[in-house]
């Protein structure tokens, strides 16, 4: 966690194609209950525009891409327990004139923690889609039905497990980043669904697993390495 004494400005709206802004920030970082100074730089640009296709073949034309790059650094602790933390977060936000908020956000995060035992690197990626533009998807709390998709990330296989107490029809579609359906599976209506899906033939990237139970659906992100 961090507390800022000098906050950075991400963007000054309105933002249009070609926009560029850089600002710095500083404050105190808390890592493993050890605090110390931290600082960073936020670079924001609007480098592109074009067409965005979301799952379900939902197409938005004339979208603006906003890139937010956050470079952070912290040096905390005292010898012999010291840490240096370097973080790089890159986000791509896509805006259309019909929505106040981004229709989709893609984020990549990398954090390197250096200590006496050597470096530890954590990488992650995520996609967030504005629910207001995903028409036709009625989200339900499948987690309450013991719904799991794992391992995630995966390489060759992924487990889809679901408790289906009402014995409704269950189906799964896998959608790639272009909005194309690459896998469609009917899982039947058993009270306990346990399915091992082969993903070895799918290229590396970020996918969406849309699981439908009866007339309701939910979508989870799946990373294939």
């Amino acid at each position: 966690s961090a507390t800022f004494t000098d906050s950075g400005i991400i963007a000054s709206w309105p933002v249009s194609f070609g926009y560029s802004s850089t600002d710095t920030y500083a404050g105190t970082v808390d890592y493993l209950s050890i605090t110390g100074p931290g600082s960073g730089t936020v670079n924001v640009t609007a480098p592109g525009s074009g067409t965005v296709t979301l799952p379900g073949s939902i197409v938005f034309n004339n979208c603006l891409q906003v890139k937010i790059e956050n470079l952070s650094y912290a040096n905390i602790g005292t010898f012999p327990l010291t840490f240096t933390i370097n973080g790089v977060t890159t986000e791509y936000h896509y805006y259309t004139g019909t929505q106040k908020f981004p229709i989709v956000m893609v984020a990549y995060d990398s954090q390197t923690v250096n200590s006496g035992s050597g470096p530890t690197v954590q990488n992650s990626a995520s996609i967030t889609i504005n629910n207001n533009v995903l028409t036709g998807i009625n989200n339900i709390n499948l987690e309450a039905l013991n719904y799991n998709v794992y391992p995630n990330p995966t390489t060759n296989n992924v487990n889809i497990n679901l408790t289906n107490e009402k014995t409704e029809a269950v189906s799964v579609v896998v959608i790639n980043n272009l909005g194309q359906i690459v896998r469609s599976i009917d899982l039947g209506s058993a009270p306990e669904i346990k399915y091992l899906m082969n993903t070895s033939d799918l290229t590396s990237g970020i996918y969406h697993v849309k699981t439908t139970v009866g007339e309701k659906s939910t979508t989870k992100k799946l990373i294939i390495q």
Side-chain angles (χ1 to χ4, degrees):
S1 63
T3 302
F4 298 108
T5 55
D6 178 15
S7 58
I9 296 175
I10 294 179
S12 298
W13 298 93
V15 173
S16 58
F17 177 72
Y19 176 89
S20 178
S21 174
T22 298
D23 200 9
T24 58
Y25 60 88
T28 301
V29 175
D30 185 330
Y31 180 76
L32 298 179
S33 299
I34 303 173
T35 60
S39 60
T41 302
V42 179
N43 300 309
V44 181
T45 57
S49 61
T51 300
V52 173
T53 302
L54 298 180
S57 300
I58 302 172
V59 179
F60 290 90
N61 297 311
N62 300 318
C63 291
L64 177 68
Q65 180 194 66
V66 176
K67 178 182 178 182
I68 303 174
E69 184 181 49
N70 181 15
L71 309 174
S72 60
Y73 173 79
N75 188 352
I76 62 178
T78 56
F79 183 82
L81 192 60
T82 59
F83 300 93
T84 59
I85 305 173
N86 292 278
V88 179
T89 300
T90 305
E91 297 183 2
Y92 296 91
H93 296 197
Y94 296 87
Y95 291 87
T96 181
T98 61
Q99 296 289 325
K100 180 178 181 180
F101 299 102
I103 58 173
V104 62
M105 295 182 293
V106 182
Y108 303 93
D109 184 75
S110 177
Q111 183 185 77
T112 303
V113 179
N114 291 285
S115 63
S117 59
T120 301
V121 180
Q122 292 182 332
N123 296 308
S124 63
S126 64
I127 291 180
T128 303
I129 298 177
N130 187 337
N131 287 332
N132 291 327
V133 302
L134 277 181
T135 57
I137 296 181
N138 184 12
N139 286 317
I140 59 175
N141 184 15
L142 287 181
E143 280 70 16
L145 303 180
N146 297 318
Y147 170 60
N148 295 292
V149 177
Y150 67 94
N152 190 8
T154 189
T155 303
N156 296 318
N157 297 285
V158 64
N159 294 280
I160 301 175
N161 293 352
L162 173 67
T163 299
N164 182 24
E165 295 179 351
K166 296 183 179 180
T167 61
E168 298 177 286
V170 179
S171 63
V172 169
V173 294
V174 180
I175 304 167
N176 66 15
N177 235 5
L178 299 176
Q180 301 167 328
I181 295 176
V182 297
R183 192 68 46 81
S184 182
I185 309 161
D186 183 357
L187 298 184
S189 57
E192 292 289 336
I193 302 291
K194 293 185 178 181
Y195 181 77
L196 181 64
M197 182 174 67
N198 184 358
T199 57
S200 61
D201 60 326
L202 299 179
T203 58
S204 300
I206 298 176
Y207 294 77
H208 292 86
V209 179
K210 179 185 175 184
T211 302
T212 301
V213 179
E215 297 181 354
K216 298 181 180 180
S217 302
T218 192
T219 303
K220 280 194 173 186
K221 178 190 67 177
L222 174 66
I223 299 174
I224 298 180
Q225 297 177 332

